[in-house]
Amino acid sequence: MGKVLLVLYDGGVHAEQEPQLLGTTENELGIRKWIEDQGHTLVTTSDKEGENSKFDQELVDAEVIITTPFHPGYLTAERLAKAKNLKIAITAGIGSDHVDLNAANKTNGGITVAEVTGSNVVSVAEHVVMTILTLVRNFVPAHEQIAAGEWNVAAVAKNEYDLENKVVGTVAVGRIGERVLRRLKPFDCKELLYFDYQPLSPEKEKEIGCRRVESLEEMLAQCDVVTINCPLHEKTRGLFNKDLISKMKKGSWLINTARGAIVVKEDVADALKSGHLRGYGGDVWFPQPAPKDHPLRYAQNPWGGGNAMVPHMSGTSIDAQKRYAEGTKAILDSYFSGRHDYKPEDLIVHGGDYATKAYGQREKK
């Protein structure tokens, strides 16, 4: 029977207080008994950094590796070369960019890379809308003022705006981007825009009240608020650099709940400090966990705010954890049973080739 290596974050006392905190090393997606009852071995760790990490020690004979986007065990080409028994790598959540997909296709005749597609799209979309409002309404500095025992309405109202009559655009309009636009419709924004290589149907555009823009730069120049909802791949890594940010409307807000490496962190921090960006918020960092000296922990605009960054939490609400734990178990059951009847939308690479349009076409270009 095979060994399953599970890489999760430590919950500590919080995992004891809330047993439904399934994405922790203590609660193990709720699958330990189920795996052991079938005769398999489960090894769980949060230690994933460096050559002597528990992750590196255990992956050499692991048949299955499960990790999350929130505390990713990075499966580099070097690590995959050591994983002689690896057959399947599962993301408990959405986003498999922590796996070197090209190397995965060549490892052990081609390992399967799968994720629980759709498990946290609602959770992330809600977080995007919350972050937009948090930034536009200047909530964080206002709350910090109250927590400090102060009261100065002018100090926070000077940088507070309404979302109504603003132009909001999403970079990519997939499962999350579309849900963000739908949730923004009742706010009576001036326009809802999107940039994507694949347009929505005219019926959906009319229903949502959104419009496609052919050029990313053209969309950015019009937007008061930009939300990034595209996957990380070769074309989007470092996409939001100094040059692209300079094309954004001065005083606009940028939200990123996609992947930290899509932005150049130093360039975002500089744009925030100069006031070109009025605010930056989201929950994704590179690497993760973010080091203490990561510039986006501390960067603020000239008005003393504009930072709405949090740990990577948008897609790991308690409700989302239930969904991605259940989805991980379903993928494991498909593998262990020998049926290999995976949901097509869950597969990223399979049988030595890319299995999905989203990853395959973009990576092969």
Side-chain angles (χ1 to χ4, degrees):
M1 291 297 182
K3 181 168 87 174
V4 178
L5 175 57
L6 184 56
V7 182
L8 301 170
Y9 58 87
D10 295 324
V13 64
H14 311 292
E16 295 174 19
Q17 293 170 346
E18 180 47 82
Q20 294 183 95
L21 203 62
L22 295 172
T24 60
T25 54
E26 293 83 0
N27 295 329
E28 302 176 308
L29 301 178
I31 58 174
R32 175 170 286 279
K33 184 176 186 304
W34 178 77
I35 284 176
E36 291 180 342
D37 283 351
Q38 297 182 73
H40 305 292
T41 302
L42 178 65
V43 176
T44 303
T45 185
S46 63
D47 179 21
K48 65 187 182 72
E49 305 298 338
E51 290 184 10
N52 295 317
S53 68
K54 184 79 169 172
F55 180 44
D56 280 273
Q57 292 171 25
E58 298 289 347
L59 67 78
V60 293
D61 62 346
E63 185 176 334
V64 179
I65 292 178
I66 305 168
T67 182
T68 73
F70 317 106
H71 187 80
Y74 293 98
L75 276 170
T76 60
E78 293 76 19
R79 278 173 162 162
L80 286 167
K82 298 174 188 174
K84 303 299 185 185
N85 291 350
L86 185 61
K87 298 291 191 298
I88 183 169
I90 303 170
T91 301
I94 301 173
S96 297
D97 48 89
H98 55 276
V99 182
D100 186 323
L101 299 178
N102 289 326
N105 276 326
K106 300 166 187 171
T107 298
N108 305 334
I111 67 168
T112 295
V113 179
E115 59 187 43
V116 189
T117 296
S119 59
N120 53 24
V121 291
V122 168
S123 313
V124 177
E126 287 186 2
H127 194 99
V128 171
V129 175
M130 177 190 73
T131 307
I132 291 172
L133 288 168
T134 297
L135 286 171
V136 171
R137 300 310 302 252
N138 204 29
F139 178 85
V140 174
H143 175 71
E144 288 175 344
Q145 185 192 102
I146 289 300
E150 300 169 3
W151 185 282
N152 188 337
V153 174
V156 287
K158 70 181 181 184
N159 201 33
E160 179 193 16
Y161 296 82
D162 293 341
L163 183 54
E164 183 178 86
N165 210 34
K166 299 294 186 294
V167 178
V168 182
T170 173
V171 181
V173 71
R175 292 181 177 90
I176 294 171
E178 181 185 331
R179 283 168 172 80
V180 169
L181 294 180
R182 289 183 180 278
R183 282 157 176 75
L184 289 175
K185 185 180 180 182
F187 285 91
D188 294 327
C189 297
K190 184 177 181 180
E191 268 201 297
L192 297 175
L193 307 176
Y194 71 93
F195 170 76
D196 202 308
Y197 72 98
Q198 190 171 342
L200 295 171
S201 68
E203 293 77 18
K204 274 191 179 179
E205 286 190 352
K206 185 176 179 182
E207 180 190 349
I208 298 168
C210 62
R211 177 171 65 86
R212 183 184 183 218
V213 182
E214 293 284 340
S215 153
L216 177 58
E217 289 81 358
E218 183 189 341
M219 188 188 82
L220 298 180
Q222 300 176 59
C223 287
D224 299 293
V225 179
V226 175
T227 166
I228 303 172
N229 297 296
C230 58
L232 174 65
H233 49 75
E234 290 170 9
K235 302 287 188 189
T236 61
R237 188 176 298 275
L239 176 65
F240 276 79
N241 57 17
K242 184 178 181 179
D243 180 56
L244 189 66
I245 293 169
S246 72
K247 308 287 173 59
M248 294 178 68
K249 194 172 176 181
K250 187 172 182 183
S252 56
W253 296 272
L254 179 61
I255 289 85
N256 182 12
T257 54
R259 284 295 180 267
I262 292 173
V263 307
V264 177
K265 57 184 183 291
E266 296 85 1
D267 293 352
V268 171
D270 288 346
L272 194 54
K273 289 172 191 172
S274 73
H276 186 78
L277 284 179
R278 193 176 291 274
Y280 180 76
D283 68 325
V284 287
W285 310 74
F286 184 77
Q288 290 187 168
K292 288 188 177 179
D293 62 353
H294 196 293
L296 293 176
R297 283 181 179 267
Y298 313 105
Q300 291 192 329
N301 63 29
W303 305 279
N307 190 324
M309 290 300 292
V310 296
H312 196 171
M313 62 182 285
S314 68
T316 192
S317 64
I318 294 296
D319 298 295
Q321 288 183 52
K322 292 176 186 175
R323 291 190 292 268
Y324 66 67
E326 185 179 315
T328 299
K329 185 177 178 181
I331 293 170
L332 281 172
D333 182 54
S334 181
Y335 172 73
F336 286 140
S337 67
R339 298 191 312 270
H340 301 291
D341 54 347
Y342 310 106
K343 293 179 182 176
E345 62 267 28
D346 286 349
L347 293 173
I348 307 303
V349 299
H350 185 59
D353 201 359
Y354 290 94
T356 71
K357 186 175 182 181
Y359 280 88
Q361 286 190 354
R362 289 170 176 169
E363 289 289 340
K364 286 179 178 177
K365 281 181 180 175

